[in-house]
Amino acid sequence: MPESRVPRRRRYLVCEPRHFAVQYAINPWMRPDQHVDVSLAQTQWQTLISAYRAHGHTVETVEPVPGLPDMVFAANAAVVVDGRVFGSLFHSPERRPESHPYDTWFKSAGYDVYRPESVSEGEGDFVPAGRWVLAGTGFRTTREAHREAQEFFGVPVIGLTLVDPYFYHLDTALFVLDDHNIAYYPEAFSPGSREVLARLYPDAVIATREDAMTFGLNSVSDGHHVFISPGATALAEELTRHGYVPVPVDLSEFHKAGGGIKCCTQEIR
C-alpha cells in the first residue's frame, strides 16, 4: 500500500494571460502562424487558479504587460528559496523585459531581488527539492547561473544536463512530488544526469515520452494533490499507485507556446 501523503498549503504567484500569443519561435512548440484562442486560454488559466484555491492554496497575481505575450509563464521569472528571490536573465531577447515587472512585484512585497549576471530562467530551470536545488542546463540557464544560485542561496545546487529540445526547461522534464521524491522522464537528460537522478531518487516516478510530450511533467504538487495535464494518463495512474491524487487541469492552449501548469505557476517559499 502507498504511504499516506500530506498536502502542504502553498503560495503561488501567477499572471493573467490577457496578452498571451505566439508571436515568435524560441522552442520547438512555437509556430507564429498558429492561431491562439485567447478566450480559451483565459478560461483554462482561470480553471487552474480555481483548482489551486479549491485545494486551499493562496494565489497572488502580477499585472500583465502589453507586448509581453509569455509573461503568463510566471515560473520563469524567478526562483524563491526561504524568502530569498533569485531573479531572471532570459536567454531570448524577446523575453528579457519580463524580468522587470516581476522584480517590481517582489520588491513591493518586501523582498530583496538578486539580479543574476548569467542567463537564468527561474523555476523553469531551478527546482527546489528539499535539501537542495535541482538545476537544468543545456538550452537556457547556464552552469554559471547554477554557481551564482548556490552562492546566493547557500544550498547545494545539483546541475542536470537536458538533451532533448522539446524539454528545453527542467520543469518540462521533471517535477518535485514532495521533499523526498520526484517524477521525471529519463531520456530528457544526459547519461550522467540520469545516473545522478537514479542515485538521488531510487523510488522516483518514471514518466513515458508520451506523457512528457503532453506536458505531464510540467505539473505542480502540494505533496498530496498533483495538478497535471489530463493527457498524461499513464503518469496519473502511476502517481495514484504511489499514493498521490491527480487533479487534471487542461492548459492545452498554452502548449502552443511550450508551456503548461508549472510554467504558469511561481511558488513563493
Side-chain angles (χ1 to χ4, degrees):
M1 292 290 292
E3 61 185 278
S4 177
R5 308 292 179 188
V6 179
R8 182 169 65 82
R9 295 285 179 88
R10 309 292 172 118
R11 183 182 176 206
Y12 298 132
L13 181 64
V14 300
C15 181
E16 179 193 349
R18 194 181 308 160
H19 310 295
F20 177 59
V22 179
Q23 297 177 345
Y24 42 77
I26 58 174
N27 65 55
W29 304 93
M30 301 178 84
R31 297 199 313 272
D33 60 343
Q34 185 172 216
H35 172 69
V36 172
D37 187 333
V38 178
S39 177
L40 176 58
Q42 290 264 16
T43 299
Q44 291 180 344
W45 180 85
Q46 189 57 60
T47 299
L48 175 65
I49 305 312
S50 297
Y52 285 153
R53 288 177 171 151
H55 287 82
H57 305 305
T58 299
V59 180
E60 302 194 44
T61 59
V62 172
E63 183 69 14
V65 176
L68 299 180
D70 282 341
M71 196 175 160
V72 64
F73 300 129
N76 303 156
V79 57
V80 184
V81 176
D82 294 332
R84 307 187 75 193
V85 181
F86 188 88
S88 61
L89 176 61
F90 285 91
H91 179 270
S92 301
E94 294 92 340
R95 296 200 66 187
R96 289 195 173 182
E98 295 175 34
S99 299
H100 178 70
Y102 281 99
D103 288 356
T104 299
W105 187 93
F106 279 111
K107 290 175 181 177
S108 68
Y111 295 89
D112 291 326
V113 179
Y114 175 86
R115 300 294 309 129
E117 297 178 2
S118 307
V119 170
S120 173
E121 299 207 350
E123 282 193 329
D125 278 321
F126 287 103
V127 178
R131 294 176 296 163
W132 47 67
V133 175
L134 302 176
T137 192
F139 297 101
R140 301 290 183 84
T141 299
T142 64
R143 292 278 186 185
E144 289 76 14
H146 294 183
R147 288 191 283 271
E148 281 190 74
Q150 181 165 281
E151 288 300 310
F152 177 69
F153 290 127
V155 300
V157 173
I158 299 170
L160 302 167
T161 301
L162 297 160
V163 296
D164 186 327
Y166 280 97
F167 309 109
Y168 58 93
H169 271 156
L170 185 59
D171 72 357
T172 64
L174 173 155
F175 73 95
V176 169
L177 288 162
D178 50 44
D179 285 344
H180 308 289
N181 208 7
I182 65 170
Y184 72 106
Y185 169 53
E187 298 305 314
F189 298 91
S190 67
S193 295
R194 290 200 297 270
E195 288 192 30
V196 168
L197 289 170
R199 288 174 182 270
L200 292 178
Y201 301 102
D203 300 318
V205 175
I206 304 301
T208 65
R209 183 175 182 83
E210 289 74 21
D211 283 341
M213 290 292 286
T214 66
F215 289 82
L217 291 165
N218 197 241
S219 295
V220 170
S221 172
D222 65 13
H224 183 208
H225 309 99
V226 178
F227 303 89
I228 187 171
S229 167
T233 53
L235 179 56
E237 290 176 5
E238 192 67 9
L239 290 169
T240 301
R241 192 174 70 82
H242 281 75
Y244 299 94
V245 177
V247 180
V249 182
D250 181 13
L251 255 63
S252 55
E253 201 62 17
F254 296 94
H255 298 178
K256 297 174 180 179
I261 293 170
K262 176 56 193 171
C263 289
C264 292
T265 310
Q266 165 73 235
E267 183 174 350
I268 305 174
R269 297 170 181 82

